[in-house]
Amino acid sequence: MQIESINPANLERNGAVETHDEEEVIECFVKARKAQQEWKRIQVLERASIIARVNESLVDQIDELSLLVCREVGKPPLEAFISEIYGAIDSTFHYYNSVSEVLGEEREIPLGFYSSLDKRSFVYRKPAGVVAVIGPFNFPFVIPFQQIVQSLIAGNGVVFKPSSEAVLVGEAIYNILHTIEELPEDLMQVVFGSGSKLGRVMVDEANRVIFTGSTNTGKAIMRRAANTLTPVALELGGKSAMVVLPDANMDRAVRAAAWGCFINSGQVCASVKRLFLHESIKDDFTSRLVEFTNKLVQGYPEEPGTDIGAMVNQEQMQLVLDAIERAREQGAKVLSGGRRNPDLEGYFIEPTLLGECTNSMDCVQQEIFGPVLVILSFSSEAEAIKMVNDNPYGLTSSIWTENIDRGKQFAREIDTGTMMVNECVYSFALAMTPWGGPKASGIGRTHGEYGFLEVTEPFHLNVDRYKEMDPWWMPYDKDFREIMDNFKHIAKSLVVKQ
Ligand code: NAD
């Protein structure tokens, strides 16, 4: 069977790949596991320099890869470049440079009293084994690429399943990594097929699962992983808020709100999806945002000058149109867009601004994975904090003010993995910082130090040079009882003096 790749902007066929069945996926894990046995013995810095060679090929293929991403998921090629291909190159460079700090050295742990018995402990990180990387459609290149690179540098094998909406991009990731001559042939595998068919076996066979996608799928993966107690990192949905205080730089904030919501047609986990405006600036800010939004160019992504491309497929488009309709029924007012673009053939939804929203509406509470921004107002910071936190998701959010101390104070009150002061969305590009968030946005973190920790196991090595018998060993005779009396004295010395 094949999965066809269709360009969502003009509905032309890009190509196709053969799907795998469950047996073939198991075979991929077996091969990757075998290759990993050798790979894990290579020094971490050498592994990192082997993997970092991929940047030469990436730089050579920037334009081809950007166009492939554009044709498969509908975003403009330059947006694909800066948000995906550049991100892959930048993060690989960073992981190469930082890995020795995180995984390089074994660390001795001071043992207190036990060291007087000639005992010493060392801790270092071992690779998990074979990591299942399951990717989403919206950033089909950069998200799995970074996770694969970190997993490989850390000494793991990888079996990667791209989204069925982005199989050619998945194949390109496999091919580009295999331009590295020193990469063992079987260490990194790619498999194609729907999550409902291959998801179970991907989880069952893996030593770690790094999943990026919707909250419902994340829950299904976690339930499955409970059978084998396989650790999972789940990067799930979001409903990021942007809170604008009266003293914010308005020009910058208006542009940020538009870019933050409409980049990639709003199909971004971290995109600005809720706009909270202080009541004193609400009308002015909203009219400037409507004016700016109406000037944005929606069109075929390959045409120069296009700001907003297509949604990935008809199903995603319909979900968003249904959500807009429900918002209208619940009292939201469409200030801009709100419909399928009638002038374009593919799956385009006009950039949409919804006013007169209240915090309990579905359009404010639920993730709408499309170019839809809901606008609310607040009268005090305490009210804004309450409304922002009263939401199932917790990935990112932002606060906009010229008073940085006030912004930082506000930020600390928000239940998200990342808070930005006067910025939005872009923090995903900071490969050195932790990525992920609590509540329905997932568990675990990818990127940076945390990403390396996610695909490795702490390993404790204890070494003993003591020549005598340990004092707590049998027999529990008279001598033993005396020794225990000594330990009772030692215990008293361990009471922390306040
Ligand atoms: P999705 O959950 O539909 O699919 C993601 C991947 O999971 C695909 O490869 C799919 O084939 C696979 N899958 C589906 N069912 C599965 C199962 N039962 N077991 C194992 N794998 C299965 O998500 P999507 O539509 O591709 O992506 C959009 C969602 O991803 C949005 O909710 C978005 O917020 C989220 N997302 C989150 C992040 C993040 O970093 N937090 C990044 C990008 C996207």
Side-chain angles (χ1 to χ4, degrees), residues 133-139 143 147 161-165 193-200 202-203 209 211-218 220-221 224 234-239 267-270 273 312 316 367 369 393 395 428 435-437 441-442 446-447:
V133 173
I134 304 177
F137 75 79
N138 62 332
F139 287 91
I143 290 178
Q147 297 164 350
K161 194 197 88 58
S163 163
S164 296
E165 305 307 319
S194 71
S196 54
K197 288 216 177 86
L198 301 187
R200 285 187 296 274
M202 288 288 290
V203 175
V209 179
F211 169 77
T212 311
S214 62
T215 300
N216 278 343
T217 309
I221 286 176
R224 184 75 189 185
L234 305 175
E235 301 293 356
L236 310 178
K239 190 80 177 174
Q267 300 164 115
V268 184
C269 52
K273 295 196 166 76
V312 75
Q316 289 295 324
E367 184 180 46
F369 213 51
Y393 294 99
L395 192 53
F428 180 86
W435 178 255
S441 293
T446 52
H447 291 192

Short mmCIF file of all heavy atoms in Angstrom, two decimals, residues 133-139 143 147 161-165 193-200 202-203 209 211-218 220-221 224 234-239 267-270 273 312 316 367 369 393 395 428 435-437 441-442 446-447, ligand 1:
data_model
loop_
_atom_site.label_atom_id
_atom_site.label_comp_id
_atom_site.label_asym_id
_atom_site.label_seq_id
_atom_site.Cartn_x
_atom_site.Cartn_y
_atom_site.Cartn_z
N VAL A 133 10.64 8.00 17.48
CA VAL A 133 10.29 9.41 17.28
C VAL A 133 9.05 9.45 16.39
O VAL A 133 9.07 8.96 15.26
CB VAL A 133 11.46 10.18 16.62
CG1 VAL A 133 11.04 11.60 16.26
CG2 VAL A 133 12.68 10.21 17.55
N ILE A 134 7.97 9.97 16.93
CA ILE A 134 6.70 10.05 16.18
C ILE A 134 6.40 11.52 15.94
O ILE A 134 6.26 12.29 16.89
CB ILE A 134 5.55 9.36 16.95
CG1 ILE A 134 5.93 7.91 17.28
CG2 ILE A 134 4.26 9.42 16.15
CD1 ILE A 134 4.91 7.15 18.10
N GLY A 135 6.34 11.90 14.66
CA GLY A 135 6.31 13.33 14.32
C GLY A 135 4.94 13.85 13.92
O GLY A 135 4.07 13.09 13.49
N PRO A 136 4.76 15.18 14.03
CA PRO A 136 3.50 15.82 13.63
C PRO A 136 3.60 16.33 12.19
O PRO A 136 4.67 16.29 11.59
CB PRO A 136 3.42 17.00 14.58
CG PRO A 136 4.86 17.44 14.70
CD PRO A 136 5.71 16.18 14.58
N PHE A 137 2.49 16.88 11.68
CA PHE A 137 2.53 17.38 10.30
C PHE A 137 2.98 18.83 10.20
O PHE A 137 3.41 19.29 9.16
CB PHE A 137 1.15 17.22 9.63
CG PHE A 137 0.13 18.23 10.10
CD1 PHE A 137 0.14 19.52 9.61
CD2 PHE A 137 -0.84 17.89 11.03
CE1 PHE A 137 -0.79 20.47 10.05
CE2 PHE A 137 -1.76 18.82 11.48
CZ PHE A 137 -1.74 20.11 10.98
N ASN A 138 2.85 19.59 11.31
CA ASN A 138 2.92 21.05 11.14
C ASN A 138 4.34 21.60 10.99
O ASN A 138 4.55 22.56 10.27
CB ASN A 138 2.15 21.76 12.27
CG ASN A 138 2.75 21.48 13.62
OD1 ASN A 138 3.36 20.44 13.85
ND2 ASN A 138 2.58 22.40 14.53
N PHE A 139 5.29 21.01 11.69
CA PHE A 139 6.71 21.32 11.45
C PHE A 139 7.38 19.98 11.17
O PHE A 139 8.13 19.47 12.01
CB PHE A 139 7.33 22.05 12.64
CG PHE A 139 6.86 23.47 12.74
CD1 PHE A 139 5.74 23.79 13.49
CD2 PHE A 139 7.51 24.49 12.05
CE1 PHE A 139 5.28 25.10 13.55
CE2 PHE A 139 7.05 25.81 12.11
CZ PHE A 139 5.93 26.10 12.86
N ILE A 143 10.98 19.53 13.84
CA ILE A 143 10.66 18.90 15.13
C ILE A 143 11.29 17.50 15.21
O ILE A 143 12.10 17.23 16.10
CB ILE A 143 9.14 18.89 15.39
CG1 ILE A 143 8.67 20.32 15.68
CG2 ILE A 143 8.79 17.97 16.55
CD1 ILE A 143 7.18 20.47 15.93
N GLN A 147 14.88 15.99 17.40
CA GLN A 147 14.74 14.88 18.34
C GLN A 147 15.62 13.69 17.91
O GLN A 147 16.23 13.02 18.74
CB GLN A 147 13.26 14.46 18.42
CG GLN A 147 12.39 15.59 18.98
CD GLN A 147 10.90 15.39 18.73
OE1 GLN A 147 10.50 14.50 17.97
NE2 GLN A 147 10.08 16.22 19.35
N LYS A 161 8.75 7.64 12.76
CA LYS A 161 7.52 7.61 11.96
C LYS A 161 7.04 9.03 11.74
O LYS A 161 6.55 9.68 12.67
CB LYS A 161 6.42 6.81 12.65
CG LYS A 161 5.29 6.47 11.68
CD LYS A 161 4.00 6.07 12.34
CE LYS A 161 3.11 7.23 12.67
NZ LYS A 161 2.71 8.09 11.54
N PRO A 162 7.17 9.53 10.50
CA PRO A 162 6.64 10.86 10.23
C PRO A 162 5.12 10.82 10.13
O PRO A 162 4.53 9.76 9.98
CB PRO A 162 7.26 11.23 8.87
CG PRO A 162 7.57 9.93 8.23
CD PRO A 162 7.80 8.92 9.31
N SER A 163 4.52 12.01 10.19
CA SER A 163 3.08 12.11 9.96
C SER A 163 2.76 11.64 8.54
O SER A 163 3.54 11.84 7.60
CB SER A 163 2.68 13.58 10.11
OG SER A 163 1.42 13.80 9.53
N SER A 164 1.59 11.04 8.36
CA SER A 164 1.18 10.60 7.01
C SER A 164 0.97 11.79 6.08
O SER A 164 0.89 11.62 4.86
CB SER A 164 -0.11 9.78 7.09
OG SER A 164 0.15 8.61 7.83
N GLU A 165 0.87 13.00 6.65
CA GLU A 165 0.72 14.20 5.81
C GLU A 165 2.08 14.70 5.32
O GLU A 165 2.12 15.66 4.55
CB GLU A 165 0.05 15.34 6.61
CG GLU A 165 -1.27 14.99 7.23
CD GLU A 165 -2.24 14.41 6.23
OE1 GLU A 165 -2.29 14.93 5.10
OE2 GLU A 165 -2.91 13.43 6.57
N GLY A 193 3.23 4.95 7.75
CA GLY A 193 1.94 4.30 7.99
C GLY A 193 1.15 5.14 8.96
O GLY A 193 1.69 6.04 9.61
N SER A 194 -0.13 4.82 9.08
CA SER A 194 -0.97 5.63 9.98
C SER A 194 -0.63 5.30 11.42
O SER A 194 -0.18 4.19 11.75
CB SER A 194 -2.45 5.35 9.70
OG SER A 194 -2.75 4.05 10.17
N GLY A 195 -0.90 6.27 12.28
CA GLY A 195 -0.67 6.06 13.71
C GLY A 195 -1.55 4.94 14.25
O GLY A 195 -1.12 4.17 15.11
N SER A 196 -2.78 4.85 13.73
CA SER A 196 -3.68 3.81 14.26
C SER A 196 -3.15 2.41 13.91
O SER A 196 -3.39 1.46 14.65
CB SER A 196 -5.09 4.02 13.73
OG SER A 196 -5.06 4.08 12.32
N LYS A 197 -2.43 2.27 12.80
CA LYS A 197 -1.89 0.95 12.43
C LYS A 197 -0.54 0.66 13.10
O LYS A 197 -0.28 -0.44 13.55
CB LYS A 197 -1.71 0.86 10.91
CG LYS A 197 -3.00 0.77 10.16
CD LYS A 197 -2.85 -0.15 8.94
CE LYS A 197 -4.17 -0.32 8.21
NZ LYS A 197 -4.40 0.76 7.23
N LEU A 198 0.34 1.68 13.12
CA LEU A 198 1.72 1.42 13.57
C LEU A 198 2.02 1.93 14.98
O LEU A 198 3.06 1.61 15.55
CB LEU A 198 2.72 2.07 12.59
CG LEU A 198 2.63 1.61 11.14
CD1 LEU A 198 3.79 2.22 10.34
CD2 LEU A 198 2.66 0.08 11.01
N GLY A 199 1.10 2.73 15.52
CA GLY A 199 1.35 3.38 16.82
C GLY A 199 1.68 2.37 17.91
O GLY A 199 2.64 2.54 18.66
N ARG A 200 0.88 1.30 17.98
CA ARG A 200 1.06 0.35 19.09
C ARG A 200 2.43 -0.29 19.05
O ARG A 200 3.15 -0.35 20.05
CB ARG A 200 -0.03 -0.73 19.05
CG ARG A 200 -1.37 -0.21 19.53
CD ARG A 200 -2.37 -1.35 19.63
NE ARG A 200 -2.64 -1.95 18.33
CZ ARG A 200 -3.57 -1.50 17.48
NH1 ARG A 200 -4.31 -0.47 17.82
NH2 ARG A 200 -3.75 -2.07 16.32
N MET A 202 5.10 0.74 17.55
CA MET A 202 6.15 1.75 17.79
C MET A 202 6.39 1.91 19.29
O MET A 202 7.54 2.01 19.74
CB MET A 202 5.73 3.12 17.22
CG MET A 202 5.74 3.26 15.73
SD MET A 202 7.39 3.31 14.99
CE MET A 202 8.03 4.89 15.51
N VAL A 203 5.31 1.94 20.05
CA VAL A 203 5.45 2.12 21.49
C VAL A 203 5.98 0.84 22.14
O VAL A 203 6.90 0.87 22.98
CB VAL A 203 4.08 2.52 22.11
CG1 VAL A 203 4.18 2.60 23.63
CG2 VAL A 203 3.62 3.86 21.54
N VAL A 209 9.83 6.85 23.98
CA VAL A 209 8.99 7.41 22.92
C VAL A 209 9.07 8.94 23.03
O VAL A 209 8.83 9.50 24.10
CB VAL A 209 7.52 6.97 23.05
CG1 VAL A 209 6.68 7.60 21.94
CG2 VAL A 209 7.40 5.45 23.00
N PHE A 211 7.17 11.82 21.38
CA PHE A 211 5.99 12.04 20.54
C PHE A 211 5.64 13.52 20.48
O PHE A 211 5.64 14.21 21.50
CB PHE A 211 4.79 11.28 21.13
CG PHE A 211 3.48 11.66 20.48
CD1 PHE A 211 3.15 11.18 19.22
CD2 PHE A 211 2.60 12.53 21.11
CE1 PHE A 211 1.96 11.57 18.60
CE2 PHE A 211 1.41 12.91 20.50
CZ PHE A 211 1.09 12.43 19.25
N THR A 212 5.32 13.99 19.29
CA THR A 212 4.80 15.34 19.12
C THR A 212 3.51 15.25 18.34
O THR A 212 3.48 14.70 17.23
CB THR A 212 5.80 16.22 18.35
OG1 THR A 212 7.09 16.08 18.94
CG2 THR A 212 5.39 17.68 18.39
N GLY A 213 2.43 15.78 18.90
CA GLY A 213 1.15 15.72 18.21
C GLY A 213 0.03 16.15 19.14
O GLY A 213 0.25 16.88 20.10
N SER A 214 -1.15 15.66 18.86
CA SER A 214 -2.32 16.14 19.60
C SER A 214 -2.41 15.51 20.99
O SER A 214 -1.86 14.44 21.25
CB SER A 214 -3.59 15.84 18.80
OG SER A 214 -3.70 14.46 18.65
N THR A 215 -3.15 16.17 21.84
CA THR A 215 -3.26 15.72 23.23
C THR A 215 -3.94 14.34 23.30
O THR A 215 -3.52 13.48 24.07
CB THR A 215 -4.03 16.78 24.05
OG1 THR A 215 -3.28 18.00 23.98
CG2 THR A 215 -4.20 16.37 25.49
N ASN A 216 -4.95 14.13 22.47
CA ASN A 216 -5.63 12.83 22.51
C ASN A 216 -4.71 11.69 22.11
O ASN A 216 -4.70 10.63 22.74
CB ASN A 216 -6.87 12.83 21.60
CG ASN A 216 -8.04 13.48 22.31
OD1 ASN A 216 -8.01 13.62 23.54
ND2 ASN A 216 -9.03 13.89 21.55
N THR A 217 -3.93 11.90 21.06
CA THR A 217 -2.99 10.84 20.65
C THR A 217 -1.93 10.64 21.74
O THR A 217 -1.55 9.50 22.04
CB THR A 217 -2.30 11.20 19.31
OG1 THR A 217 -3.29 11.56 18.37
CG2 THR A 217 -1.49 10.05 18.78
N GLY A 218 -1.49 11.73 22.34
CA GLY A 218 -0.51 11.62 23.43
C GLY A 218 -1.03 10.75 24.57
O GLY A 218 -0.30 9.92 25.13
N ALA A 220 -3.26 8.38 24.31
CA ALA A 220 -3.32 6.98 23.84
C ALA A 220 -1.92 6.35 23.93
O ALA A 220 -1.76 5.19 24.33
CB ALA A 220 -3.85 6.92 22.41
N ILE A 221 -0.91 7.12 23.57
CA ILE A 221 0.47 6.61 23.62
C ILE A 221 0.88 6.32 25.06
O ILE A 221 1.47 5.28 25.36
CB ILE A 221 1.42 7.62 22.94
CG1 ILE A 221 1.23 7.53 21.42
CG2 ILE A 221 2.88 7.38 23.32
CD1 ILE A 221 2.00 8.50 20.60
N ARG A 224 -0.71 3.14 26.26
CA ARG A 224 -0.04 1.97 25.69
C ARG A 224 1.32 1.73 26.36
O ARG A 224 1.71 0.61 26.65
CB ARG A 224 0.15 2.19 24.18
CG ARG A 224 0.73 1.01 23.46
CD ARG A 224 -0.31 -0.07 23.30
NE ARG A 224 0.27 -1.28 22.80
CZ ARG A 224 -0.44 -2.36 22.47
NH1 ARG A 224 -1.75 -2.37 22.59
NH2 ARG A 224 0.16 -3.44 22.04
N LEU A 234 6.00 13.73 25.82
CA LEU A 234 4.84 14.07 24.99
C LEU A 234 4.78 15.58 24.79
O LEU A 234 4.64 16.33 25.75
CB LEU A 234 3.55 13.60 25.66
CG LEU A 234 3.47 12.11 26.05
CD1 LEU A 234 2.19 11.83 26.82
CD2 LEU A 234 3.55 11.22 24.81
N GLU A 235 4.95 16.01 23.54
CA GLU A 235 4.85 17.44 23.20
C GLU A 235 3.51 17.62 22.51
O GLU A 235 3.34 17.24 21.35
CB GLU A 235 6.01 17.83 22.26
CG GLU A 235 7.39 17.61 22.84
CD GLU A 235 7.70 18.53 24.01
OE1 GLU A 235 6.87 19.39 24.34
OE2 GLU A 235 8.78 18.38 24.61
N LEU A 236 2.54 18.19 23.24
CA LEU A 236 1.15 18.16 22.76
C LEU A 236 0.62 19.56 22.43
O LEU A 236 1.39 20.44 22.12
CB LEU A 236 0.30 17.45 23.82
CG LEU A 236 0.86 16.10 24.30
CD1 LEU A 236 -0.02 15.49 25.38
CD2 LEU A 236 1.04 15.13 23.15
N GLY A 237 -0.68 19.71 22.53
CA GLY A 237 -1.32 20.92 22.04
C GLY A 237 -1.06 22.16 22.88
O GLY A 237 -0.43 22.11 23.94
N GLY A 238 -1.55 23.28 22.40
CA GLY A 238 -1.37 24.53 23.12
C GLY A 238 -2.49 25.51 22.84
O GLY A 238 -3.30 25.32 21.91
N LYS A 239 -2.56 26.54 23.65
CA LYS A 239 -3.53 27.63 23.44
C LYS A 239 -2.89 28.88 24.00
O LYS A 239 -3.36 29.49 24.97
CB LYS A 239 -4.84 27.29 24.17
CG LYS A 239 -6.00 28.21 23.82
CD LYS A 239 -6.68 27.88 22.51
CE LYS A 239 -7.87 28.78 22.25
NZ LYS A 239 -8.46 28.56 20.91
N GLN A 267 -1.20 26.76 12.29
CA GLN A 267 -0.99 25.35 12.68
C GLN A 267 0.33 25.22 13.45
O GLN A 267 1.28 24.59 12.99
CB GLN A 267 -0.99 24.47 11.43
CG GLN A 267 -2.28 24.55 10.65
CD GLN A 267 -2.13 24.01 9.24
OE1 GLN A 267 -2.74 23.01 8.90
NE2 GLN A 267 -1.32 24.63 8.44
N VAL A 268 0.36 25.85 14.59
CA VAL A 268 1.56 25.89 15.41
C VAL A 268 1.12 25.67 16.86
O VAL A 268 0.21 26.36 17.33
CB VAL A 268 2.28 27.27 15.31
CG1 VAL A 268 3.58 27.26 16.11
CG2 VAL A 268 2.54 27.63 13.86
N CYS A 269 1.76 24.70 17.52
CA CYS A 269 1.36 24.41 18.90
C CYS A 269 1.49 25.63 19.79
O CYS A 269 0.71 25.84 20.70
CB CYS A 269 2.20 23.27 19.45
SG CYS A 269 3.97 23.56 19.24
N ALA A 270 2.52 26.47 19.51
CA ALA A 270 2.82 27.61 20.38
C ALA A 270 2.26 28.91 19.84
O ALA A 270 2.54 29.98 20.38
CB ALA A 270 4.33 27.73 20.54
N LYS A 273 -2.94 32.19 20.28
CA LYS A 273 -4.31 31.78 19.98
C LYS A 273 -5.33 32.56 20.81
O LYS A 273 -6.50 32.58 20.49
CB LYS A 273 -4.47 30.29 20.22
CG LYS A 273 -3.61 29.46 19.25
CD LYS A 273 -4.04 28.01 19.21
CE LYS A 273 -3.44 27.28 18.03
NZ LYS A 273 -2.06 26.92 18.16
N VAL A 312 -3.12 22.10 6.04
CA VAL A 312 -2.47 20.89 5.55
C VAL A 312 -3.40 19.98 4.74
O VAL A 312 -2.96 19.34 3.78
CB VAL A 312 -1.81 20.10 6.69
CG1 VAL A 312 -2.83 19.37 7.54
CG2 VAL A 312 -0.76 19.14 6.17
N GLN A 316 -8.36 19.02 8.37
CA GLN A 316 -7.95 20.07 9.31
C GLN A 316 -8.69 21.36 9.02
O GLN A 316 -9.10 22.08 9.93
CB GLN A 316 -6.43 20.31 9.22
CG GLN A 316 -5.59 19.19 9.79
CD GLN A 316 -5.78 19.02 11.30
OE1 GLN A 316 -5.96 19.97 12.03
NE2 GLN A 316 -5.78 17.77 11.75
N GLU A 367 -8.17 24.11 21.70
CA GLU A 367 -7.20 24.42 20.66
C GLU A 367 -7.89 24.44 19.30
O GLU A 367 -8.60 23.50 18.95
CB GLU A 367 -6.09 23.35 20.64
CG GLU A 367 -4.99 23.69 19.62
CD GLU A 367 -3.86 22.65 19.57
OE1 GLU A 367 -4.16 21.44 19.53
OE2 GLU A 367 -2.69 23.05 19.55
N PHE A 369 -6.66 24.56 15.63
CA PHE A 369 -5.36 24.45 14.95
C PHE A 369 -5.45 25.08 13.56
O PHE A 369 -5.44 24.40 12.53
CB PHE A 369 -4.95 22.98 14.88
CG PHE A 369 -3.45 22.79 14.98
CD1 PHE A 369 -2.72 23.38 15.99
CD2 PHE A 369 -2.78 22.02 14.04
CE1 PHE A 369 -1.36 23.22 16.08
CE2 PHE A 369 -1.40 21.85 14.12
CZ PHE A 369 -0.70 22.46 15.14
N TYR A 393 -4.53 24.06 28.59
CA TYR A 393 -3.18 23.93 28.02
C TYR A 393 -2.15 24.77 28.77
O TYR A 393 -2.51 25.73 29.45
CB TYR A 393 -3.19 24.33 26.54
CG TYR A 393 -4.01 23.38 25.71
CD1 TYR A 393 -5.32 23.70 25.35
CD2 TYR A 393 -3.50 22.15 25.31
CE1 TYR A 393 -6.09 22.82 24.60
CE2 TYR A 393 -4.26 21.27 24.56
CZ TYR A 393 -5.55 21.60 24.20
OH TYR A 393 -6.29 20.73 23.47
N LEU A 395 1.47 25.41 27.26
CA LEU A 395 2.75 25.34 26.54
C LEU A 395 3.56 26.64 26.66
O LEU A 395 4.62 26.67 27.29
CB LEU A 395 2.47 24.99 25.08
CG LEU A 395 3.67 24.60 24.22
CD1 LEU A 395 4.48 23.49 24.85
CD2 LEU A 395 3.23 24.21 22.82
N PHE A 428 10.65 28.40 20.39
CA PHE A 428 10.91 27.03 19.91
C PHE A 428 12.28 26.97 19.22
O PHE A 428 12.96 25.94 19.25
CB PHE A 428 9.82 26.57 18.93
CG PHE A 428 10.08 25.19 18.41
CD1 PHE A 428 9.63 24.08 19.12
CD2 PHE A 428 10.82 24.98 17.26
CE1 PHE A 428 9.92 22.80 18.68
CE2 PHE A 428 11.10 23.70 16.80
CZ PHE A 428 10.64 22.61 17.53
N TRP A 435 12.01 22.78 26.01
CA TRP A 435 10.77 22.96 25.25
C TRP A 435 9.71 21.97 25.75
O TRP A 435 9.97 20.78 25.85
CB TRP A 435 11.02 22.70 23.76
CG TRP A 435 9.74 22.84 22.99
CD1 TRP A 435 8.96 21.84 22.47
CD2 TRP A 435 9.06 24.07 22.68
NE1 TRP A 435 7.84 22.37 21.88
CE2 TRP A 435 7.88 23.74 21.99
CE3 TRP A 435 9.33 25.42 22.94
CZ2 TRP A 435 6.97 24.71 21.55
CZ3 TRP A 435 8.43 26.37 22.50
CH2 TRP A 435 7.27 26.01 21.81
N GLY A 436 8.52 22.50 26.05
CA GLY A 436 7.43 21.65 26.51
C GLY A 436 6.66 22.37 27.58
O GLY A 436 7.05 23.47 28.01
N GLY A 437 5.55 21.80 28.01
CA GLY A 437 4.76 22.48 29.03
C GLY A 437 3.85 21.53 29.76
O GLY A 437 3.64 20.40 29.32
N SER A 441 -0.64 20.13 27.67
CA SER A 441 0.44 20.32 26.69
C SER A 441 1.50 19.24 26.77
O SER A 441 2.42 19.23 25.94
CB SER A 441 1.08 21.71 26.86
OG SER A 441 0.14 22.70 26.50
N GLY A 442 1.40 18.35 27.75
CA GLY A 442 2.28 17.18 27.70
C GLY A 442 3.09 16.94 28.95
O GLY A 442 2.86 17.56 29.99
N THR A 446 11.78 18.48 25.54
CA THR A 446 12.79 18.24 24.51
C THR A 446 13.68 19.49 24.45
O THR A 446 13.46 20.44 25.18
CB THR A 446 12.14 17.94 23.14
OG1 THR A 446 11.21 18.98 22.84
CG2 THR A 446 11.41 16.62 23.16
N HIS A 447 14.68 19.45 23.59
CA HIS A 447 15.65 20.55 23.37
C HIS A 447 16.67 20.63 24.52
O HIS A 447 16.35 20.32 25.67
CB HIS A 447 14.96 21.91 23.27
CG HIS A 447 14.14 22.07 22.03
ND1 HIS A 447 13.65 23.27 21.61
CD2 HIS A 447 13.74 21.17 21.12
CE1 HIS A 447 12.97 23.11 20.50
NE2 HIS A 447 13.01 21.84 20.18
P1 NAD B 1 -1.66 13.79 15.60
O1 NAD B 1 -1.76 13.46 17.05
O2 NAD B 1 -2.87 13.59 14.76
O3 NAD B 1 -0.49 12.97 14.89
C1 NAD B 1 0.85 13.06 15.31
C2 NAD B 1 1.57 11.77 14.96
O4 NAD B 1 1.02 10.72 15.74
C3 NAD B 1 1.42 11.34 13.51
O5 NAD B 1 2.66 10.82 13.07
C4 NAD B 1 0.37 10.26 13.59
O6 NAD B 1 0.45 9.31 12.54
C5 NAD B 1 0.72 9.60 14.91
N1 NAD B 1 -0.35 8.86 15.57
C6 NAD B 1 -1.70 8.98 15.43
N2 NAD B 1 -2.33 8.11 16.22
C7 NAD B 1 -1.39 7.41 16.89
C8 NAD B 1 -1.41 6.37 17.87
N3 NAD B 1 -2.55 5.87 18.33
N4 NAD B 1 -0.23 5.91 18.34
C9 NAD B 1 0.94 6.42 17.92
N5 NAD B 1 1.03 7.40 16.99
C10 NAD B 1 -0.11 7.89 16.49
O7 NAD B 1 -1.16 15.32 15.55
P2 NAD B 1 -0.98 16.23 14.26
O8 NAD B 1 -2.34 16.56 13.73
O9 NAD B 1 0.05 15.69 13.35
O10 NAD B 1 -0.34 17.55 14.92
C11 NAD B 1 -1.10 18.60 15.43
C12 NAD B 1 -1.08 18.61 16.93
O11 NAD B 1 0.27 18.53 17.39
C13 NAD B 1 -1.62 19.89 17.53
O12 NAD B 1 -2.42 19.59 18.65
C14 NAD B 1 -0.37 20.64 17.96
O13 NAD B 1 -0.57 21.56 19.00
C15 NAD B 1 0.52 19.52 18.37
N6 NAD B 1 1.93 19.91 18.30
C16 NAD B 1 2.61 20.07 19.46
C17 NAD B 1 3.92 20.49 19.42
C18 NAD B 1 4.71 20.70 20.68
O14 NAD B 1 5.91 20.82 20.60
N7 NAD B 1 4.08 20.74 21.84
C19 NAD B 1 4.55 20.73 18.20
C20 NAD B 1 3.82 20.54 17.03
C21 NAD B 1 2.51 20.13 17.09
#
